[in-house]
Amino acid sequence: MGNVNKAKLTETDIITKFILPAVKKVGWDDMTQIRQEVKLRDGKVVVRGQAAARKKVKSADIVLYHKPNMPLAVIEAKANHHEMGKGMQQGLDYARLLDVPFVFASNGDGFVFHDKTNQTTLETQICLEDFPTPAQLWDKYCVWKGYTAAQLPIITQDYYDDGSGKAPRYYQLQAINKTIEAISAGQDRALLVMATGTGKTYTAFQIIWRLWKSRNKKRILFLADRNILVDQTRINDFQPFGQAMTKVEGRKVDPAYEIHLALYQALTGPEESQKAYKQVAPDFFDLIIIDECHRGSAADDSAWREILEYFGSATQVGLTATPKETDEVSNTDYFGDPVYTYSLKEGIEDGFLAPYKVVRVDIDVDLQGWRPTKGQIDKKGEVIEDRIYNQKDFDRTMVIDERTELVAQTITNYLKRTDPLAKTIVFCNDIDHAERMRRALINLNPEQVAKNDKYVMKITGDDEIGKAQLDNFINPKKTYPVIATTSELMTTGVDAKTCKLVVLDQNIQSMTKFKQIIGRGTRIDDKYNKLWFTILDFKKATELFADERFDGVPERVMVTTPTDMDDDEAFDTILHGADEPPLDGEPVDVENADGEPQETTAGSQAGGSSGPVHGGDDEPNTVRKFYVNGVTVKAIAERIQYYDTDGKLVTESFRDYTRKTLSKQCATLDDFVKRWNSAERKQVIIDELENEGIIWQVLEEEVGKDLDPFDLICHVVYDQPALTRKERANNVKKRNYFTKYSDTAQTVLSTLLEKYADEGVQEIENIHVLKVKPFDELGSPLEIVKKGFGNKQAYLQAVNDLETEIYQLPSRSA
């Protein structure tokens, strides 16, 4: 590199001219072991109002692999004028995400080598020529991990590659690699906890593929509890298994296949003749993957347990977004502690999952209660039991038409104000409620229904026509149906990527169920501009966000023993079985033989302690329901909350968000002004702040003035009086600033000042502005620059000086 002035080289030059040659020279393979610019996270989405912005994220400069998707080391580079180890902290952050022990930082002179496998000296300096070979790092890695010779063929089994360049995300790599590692070490029970929308099925596919290809596991059973889950899995992620795969149907297990996909309802039942799993020997399956394993697999008496115990010699892996931990049921008791957990909070922070905005609407009768007049009869002519009915009763034991109307009107108003075609799921208490909500929404949206009568559909387990529309609802390419009213069918496993509005008009206090329902909105779909979603909450359900179990370790919950309960509560517990504490007004979540939730209909709802429970042959365990109208119902409060950087819900405005974000970077007004004025182009700072999630348009709307980004920040963050662009331009004119320039230069600069006043600083920073009116009358850009300023450098300096003059603070003005 004889005459090259290294100090003048860019970071990219340092990588291509010094780092990569040193790495390749010792045998690292360019095609399979070296990847550059590896983007590990997506930018977190920041939402305010109806606008959203993605924060910009950096990529890891170089990641080295033993083979594709088996990372070993991170190399972080900096330009040569930086100290050699400057990139180390950044590199360590990437290494944590990739779960690798080796990090190299370099400025082209050599490497600082961070080696977690070295117990005596963590960081050493090595010269370019001494970069470790692939074999050296792999050997160190295997010793560090404690791999045995028997584990290696399984651990090094290739991932499935479809040739499209699709690679697992960093957390999927960790989940897959840690599970394979545990199984190869002889662990026969494993639990993977991954938030809804993070690709559990794809992760399961890669685990199965690698174990199957290495012949460590030859026959595999993938168990799910919903038909739609099995079918989505077979058609999508599991497609590469091809002819080796079958779906168990007609209660027949065909031993000719190696990969079996099955509903647990298709394998068992109360009658001995229904226990299809017994058609094969207990050691037939080597591996069982249980999808959505929170739905009862850990309960001793569940149908799952029967299957799992029969195939007890098989390795069993549970997948869930919501591990269930109650006094009665525990996933970890059965599967052990999770081998890996990726939470909703991490997903949102990494930008892989959609954040949410919560609009909570409080209705007067919900909070204050409603009592019938003496002897009042309902619409069916029944005398209404005289007591106070409140939020937990409505749409369960007491139906007030006007309340249903108000909820439907609020949903309609929200969609009209934002996007009438935004996919919406309305969670109701039962099928009867879902039907009434469908009717109310149809009546309030006649113009939309006229365009397509599937604008609103009831999609519940009892409704074949509605169920048939489920695929269209979740297909982003299909506009209709737009609104789905449901109670249980869509709580889990429905992959509605473009769902933008989740409406809660159901009493939900089970944390597991709440997480599953929220999961219907957390998927991101950039192509269809789905970056965030709104939760419209009429039942205070979102108070569960504040529960530490929401995104922390599930806490064990004591279930009251039946001796402490009255008959109704005991009945509720029996119906719920070993779930989280039985809750007033929560529908029972059981499945029918097709793997769909058995939803409750009007008059057959699982009851809580309010409302008389009738026994009797004709009407087994029904809750009496009254229907009334003519009640005045109104919304008394509406509060909007946003997902915060700490994963908490905050009611802060975008001004507050901007203030917090900026204060971390520039503690004082002076710091900010210095940063602004020292930037050669203000656009750079404007873009940087945008990458931090500052949405200028929303800020302008909140402040309510047509302000320059500089003044928006000064005003909102540092409480300075705000000046409009016109006021700033007039202040410059008053100061006779231009007199030091030639006539031509004065004309150009005063015209630029006018341009700034009209359109902002971005306009005047672009030299192409000299091509447009009124500059074109003065000649070509080259002529203008030459005549007025002598050369381009002098012109750019004059623009820079003009900006400094524009952005003088009022207190400092002449």
Side-chain angles (χ1 to χ4, degrees):
M1 298 300 298
N3 306 323
V4 175
N5 182 349
K6 219 191 231 185
K8 290 271 171 68
L9 295 177
T10 64
E11 185 181 298
T12 308
D13 285 333
I14 293 294
I15 291 171
T16 53
K17 293 179 167 58
F18 296 94
I19 296 173
L20 284 175
V23 170
K24 289 176 192 172
K25 196 173 178 185
V26 292
W28 291 89
D29 184 293
D30 213 0
M31 295 304 288
T32 59
Q33 294 183 307
I34 303 171
R35 274 183 67 203
Q36 288 181 252
E37 288 299 312
V38 180
K39 192 177 169 195
L40 297 176
R41 298 180 175 103
D42 272 358
K44 180 185 170 182
V45 177
V46 175
V47 182
R48 285 302 179 273
Q50 289 302 309
R54 265 198 193 273
K55 290 185 174 187
K56 271 257 185 340
V57 283
K58 296 187 173 79
S59 298
D61 289 333
I62 299 169
V63 178
L64 299 179
Y65 297 81
H66 172 63
K67 58 181 356 191
N69 300 316
M70 293 176 207
L72 280 182
V74 172
I75 305 177
E76 206 48 41
K78 291 287 175 237
N80 190 254
H81 59 267
H82 290 294
E83 195 267 324
M84 195 185 290
K86 174 91 163 46
M88 183 54 78
Q89 294 201 141
Q90 219 173 317
L92 285 167
D93 182 43
Y94 299 138
R96 180 179 56 80
L97 299 183
L98 289 166
D99 195 31
V100 298
F102 309 119
V103 186
F104 298 87
S106 178
N107 62 355
D109 289 341
F111 295 96
V112 174
F113 176 23
H114 184 104
D115 179 1
K116 290 189 195 320
T117 71
N118 186 333
Q119 293 303 306
T120 50
T121 316
L122 264 179
E123 289 190 4
T124 51
Q125 200 166 314
I126 58 174
C127 59
L128 290 173
E129 294 73 35
D130 291 339
F131 196 82
T133 65
Q136 284 170 331
L137 283 194
W138 176 243
D139 289 347
K140 277 160 102 55
Y141 182 79
C142 290
V143 171
W144 182 63
K145 283 282 194 180
Y147 293 155
T148 63
Q151 278 177 275
L152 286 176
I154 306 161
I155 279 165
T156 59
Q157 177 60 49
D158 292 349
Y159 273 69
Y160 173 76
D161 181 0
D162 63 2
S164 71
K166 176 185 175 176
R169 292 168 173 173
Y170 83 81
Y171 63 84
Q172 292 170 336
L173 281 183
Q174 283 216 42
I176 296 160
N177 291 343
K178 282 178 191 293
T179 307
I180 298 279
E181 221 169 81
I183 291 170
S184 71
Q187 193 173 316
D188 58 4
R189 299 287 179 270
L191 180 65
L192 263 184
V193 179
M194 292 168 72
T196 302
T198 55
K200 283 194 291 296
T201 320
Y202 172 71
T203 302
F205 162 70
Q206 289 286 9
I207 291 168
I208 297 170
W209 178 269
R210 292 175 64 201
L211 290 169
W212 183 58
K213 281 291 184 187
S214 67
R215 302 316 276 163
N216 178 266
K217 307 292 176 200
K218 296 185 182 71
R219 283 195 289 250
I220 292 130
L221 173 62
F222 179 85
L223 265 183
D225 68 339
R226 299 272 169 103
N227 239 325
I228 190 169
L229 292 178
V230 172
D231 293 337
Q232 278 177 356
T233 301
R234 184 177 56 174
I235 296 160
N236 299 329
D237 289 318
F238 279 34
Q239 196 190 347
F241 289 124
Q243 299 303 306
M245 170 176 62
T246 186
K247 177 184 175 182
V248 176
E249 289 178 294
R251 299 200 179 274
K252 179 89 182 78
V253 180
D254 187 342
Y257 292 91
E258 293 196 332
I259 314 284
H260 297 251
L261 276 62
L263 281 169
Y264 73 85
Q265 296 92 325
L267 288 178
T268 189
E271 305 299 322
E272 196 59 32
S273 62
Q274 295 171 314
K275 300 189 188 303
Y277 64 86
K278 291 187 174 176
Q279 293 166 17
V280 290
D283 62 355
F284 181 77
F285 290 113
D286 308 309
L287 174 69
I288 302 179
I289 305 268
I290 305 98
D291 194 24
E292 304 288 3
C293 71
H294 62 278
R295 297 178 62 79
S297 63
D300 284 328
D301 56 353
S302 74
W304 298 85
R305 196 62 171 248
E306 191 184 313
I307 300 167
L308 298 187
E309 282 176 358
Y310 181 79
F311 297 114
S313 61
T315 299
Q316 297 173 5
V317 180
L319 303 176
T320 182
T322 50
K324 185 175 287 188
E325 298 289 325
T326 71
D327 198 49
E328 303 286 327
V329 179
S330 168
N331 294 100
T332 53
D333 279 355
Y334 187 82
F335 291 107
D337 289 330
V339 287
Y340 183 67
T341 299
Y342 187 68
S343 68
L344 173 65
K345 183 180 173 182
E346 288 173 291
I348 293 173
E349 287 303 310
D350 287 340
F352 295 125
L353 292 179
Y356 39 82
K357 178 170 95 172
V358 173
V359 181
R360 203 177 105 185
V361 181
D362 292 337
I363 297 172
D364 57 355
V365 292
D366 287 18
L367 303 188
Q368 295 153 10
W370 178 81
R371 186 178 178 179
T373 55
K374 194 168 193 281
Q376 185 174 346
I377 56 170
D378 77 350
K379 285 159 63 176
K380 294 181 174 178
E382 290 201 42
V383 176
I384 302 166
E385 185 198 346
D386 182 17
R387 63 180 182 83
I388 292 172
Y389 295 86
N390 60 26
Q391 192 166 51
K392 287 182 180 176
D393 296 299
F394 296 129
D395 296 301
R396 212 182 115 259
T397 58
M398 170 57 66
V399 173
I400 298 177
D401 286 349
E402 286 79 4
R403 190 188 175 284
T404 310
E405 286 287 316
L406 178 62
V407 170
Q409 186 67 66
T410 310
I411 296 167
T412 301
N413 291 348
Y414 183 84
L415 289 172
K416 279 183 176 166
R417 204 169 65 238
T418 55
D419 172 10
L421 295 176
K423 297 271 183 178
T424 300
I425 306 177
V426 186
F427 287 98
C428 303
N429 262 335
D430 57 23
I431 288 174
D432 165 57
H433 185 196
E435 174 53 42
R436 287 182 294 101
M437 188 58 71
R438 182 199 74 84
R439 198 177 314 137
L441 285 163
I442 275 180
N443 289 335
L444 286 166
N445 292 278
E447 64 297 330
Q448 293 293 348
V449 177
K451 288 180 202 164
N452 190 306
D453 62 6
K454 292 188 174 63
Y455 182 71
V456 187
M457 293 291 290
K458 174 173 75 98
I459 301 181
T460 50
D462 71 319
D463 190 322
E464 292 309 318
I465 294 171
K467 269 199 299 190
Q469 289 299 320
L470 187 54
D471 282 348
N472 289 331
F473 180 80
I474 64 182
N475 185 344
K477 293 178 184 154
K478 297 280 170 71
T479 307
Y480 299 97
V482 172
I483 304 173
T485 68
T486 189
S487 71
E488 294 296 296
L489 181 64
M490 298 171 76
T491 52
T492 73
V494 176
D495 189 359
K497 277 188 180 161
T498 52
C499 175
K500 290 186 179 177
L501 181 62
V502 173
V503 181
L504 305 177
D505 198 24
Q506 185 184 104
N507 295 318
I508 309 158
Q509 284 169 287
S510 150
M511 182 60 77
T512 302
K513 185 172 185 181
F514 177 63
K515 281 185 174 181
Q516 288 290 339
I517 284 178
I518 296 311
R520 299 314 102 217
T522 52
R523 286 170 171 81
I524 278 182
D525 195 319
D526 285 283
K527 186 178 168 191
Y528 290 93
N529 198 29
K530 156 69 195 301
L531 291 172
W532 57 282
F533 69 109
T534 303
I535 301 164
L536 195 49
D537 178 17
F538 294 93
K539 289 280 177 93
K540 292 188 180 175
T542 49
E543 287 182 352
L544 286 169
F545 278 124
D547 188 317
E548 61 188 34
R549 288 176 302 147
F550 180 70
D551 208 53
V553 176
E555 194 181 87
R556 294 210 163 218
V557 181
M558 293 300 290
V559 173
T560 322
T561 54
T563 50
D564 300 328
M565 308 181 199
D566 61 29
D567 289 345
D568 293 347
E569 285 174 309
F571 164 67
D572 203 16
T573 306
I574 292 158
L575 277 173
H576 273 75
D579 197 340
E580 291 179 48
L583 303 153
D584 253 0
E586 198 171 316
V588 189
D589 193 6
V590 291
E591 291 82 30
N592 62 23
D594 297 324
E596 273 132 11
Q598 194 73 58
E599 304 199 44
T600 50
T601 50
S604 67
Q605 168 126 11
S609 55
S610 52
V613 178
H614 299 278
D617 297 337
D618 298 335
E619 207 184 4
N621 301 330
T622 58
V623 173
R624 191 152 141 217
K625 210 181 232 188
F626 299 107
Y627 294 81
V628 300
N629 58 15
V631 180
T632 306
V633 175
K634 61 178 190 289
I636 51 175
E638 184 176 294
R639 185 171 62 167
I640 298 177
Q641 295 175 296
Y642 295 96
Y643 182 91
D644 188 32
T645 41
D646 310 322
K648 298 272 185 282
L649 279 176
V650 293
T651 46
E652 70 177 25
S653 66
F654 200 61
R655 297 170 79 140
D656 297 332
Y657 176 81
T658 306
R659 194 175 293 128
K660 269 190 204 165
T661 305
L662 254 294
S663 306
K664 284 179 196 158
Q665 299 184 7
C666 303
T668 66
L669 175 64
D670 270 354
D671 294 342
F672 173 68
V673 173
K674 271 183 201 146
R675 184 177 164 192
W676 182 268
N677 284 334
S678 65
E680 275 183 36
R681 290 180 66 245
K682 309 306 176 223
Q683 186 63 47
V684 172
I685 294 189
I686 293 168
D687 290 346
E688 273 174 16
L689 293 177
E690 211 162 86
N691 292 340
E692 286 296 317
I694 305 293
I695 311 168
W696 298 109
Q697 166 206 345
V698 177
L699 203 52
E700 266 176 39
E701 283 165 18
E702 270 198 33
V703 174
K705 287 184 182 172
D706 183 18
L707 297 178
D708 193 80
F710 175 82
D711 276 289
L712 278 172
I713 297 298
C714 288
H715 179 57
V716 167
V717 182
Y718 306 104
D719 296 319
Q720 288 295 304
L723 293 180
T724 65
R725 291 195 294 266
K726 286 205 163 37
E727 286 169 335
R728 287 203 170 276
N730 287 334
N731 284 346
V732 175
K733 287 176 193 165
K734 282 180 205 162
R735 293 197 284 268
N736 292 324
Y737 169 69
F738 298 130
T739 49
K740 60 180 181 179
Y741 291 102
S742 70
D743 290 351
T744 307
Q746 283 192 39
T747 308
V748 171
L749 291 171
S750 57
T751 310
L752 283 173
L753 189 61
E754 292 298 329
K755 264 274 188 248
Y756 158 78
D758 290 340
E759 296 170 55
V761 72
Q762 295 96 316
E763 281 302 304
I764 67 172
E765 289 193 334
N766 190 340
I767 199 161
H768 294 301
V769 75
L770 299 178
K771 291 179 182 171
V772 300
K773 284 189 179 333
F775 295 104
D776 55 354
E777 292 160 16
L778 300 173
S780 70
L782 195 64
E783 288 166 351
I784 294 169
V785 166
K786 206 159 186 174
K787 192 175 173 193
F789 304 91
N791 58 41
K792 186 180 174 183
Q793 199 52 46
Y795 166 76
L796 294 174
Q797 187 56 52
V799 173
N800 209 288
D801 293 346
L802 174 62
E803 287 179 346
T804 305
E805 199 61 31
I806 288 170
Y807 291 114
Q808 279 198 23
L809 291 177
S811 56
R812 302 170 189 193
S813 60

